[in-house]
Amino acid sequence: MLYIDPPNWPGHGRMWSHLVSDVSFEELHAFAARLGMPPRAFDGDHYDVPEGTYPEAVRLGAIEVSSKELVSRMTGAGLRRRKHPPLTG
């Protein structure tokens, strides 16, 4: 399944959502291509989706969830990639 959180992340003068899969990166990339997302929008484990594209993502089948639920789904599927290694004390 594909999930998208609300466009509540500011950046570059607009608001952004995150698009993820809980199945595979192949599913995520295929959906993003259908949505017309450029490859540069992929950020390691999700796509950054501008607020104007959010309604189309939902229309094509992305399920609206909270940001917390989105991370939980991605982590549970083993598809979460940390940008930075955790700090060790």
Side-chain angles (χ1 to χ4, degrees):
M1 301 287 304
L2 293 143
Y3 301 92
I4 193 164
D5 64 358
N8 58 8
W9 301 92
H12 308 287
R14 57 178 138 172
M15 300 300 282
W16 298 82
S17 295
H18 301 111
L19 177 69
V20 305
S21 169
D22 68 353
V23 173
S24 68
F25 289 118
E26 291 78 17
E27 178 190 50
L28 178 60
H29 294 312
F31 187 87
R34 283 183 47 219
L35 194 55
M37 299 297 303
R40 71 179 179 277
F42 183 64
D43 193 15
D45 58 10
H46 68 275
Y47 277 84
D48 292 322
V49 178
E51 62 189 325
T53 306
Y54 181 89
E56 181 66 4
V58 172
R59 189 186 73 72
L60 289 175
I63 299 168
E64 300 170 275
V65 296
S66 70
S67 298
K68 184 176 179 178
E69 177 72 11
L70 183 134
V71 171
S72 176
R73 297 265 181 175
M74 198 171 34
T75 301
L79 297 174
R80 178 79 167 134
R81 294 181 178 165
R82 296 185 96 109
K83 289 189 180 199
H84 305 286
L87 297 175
T88 57

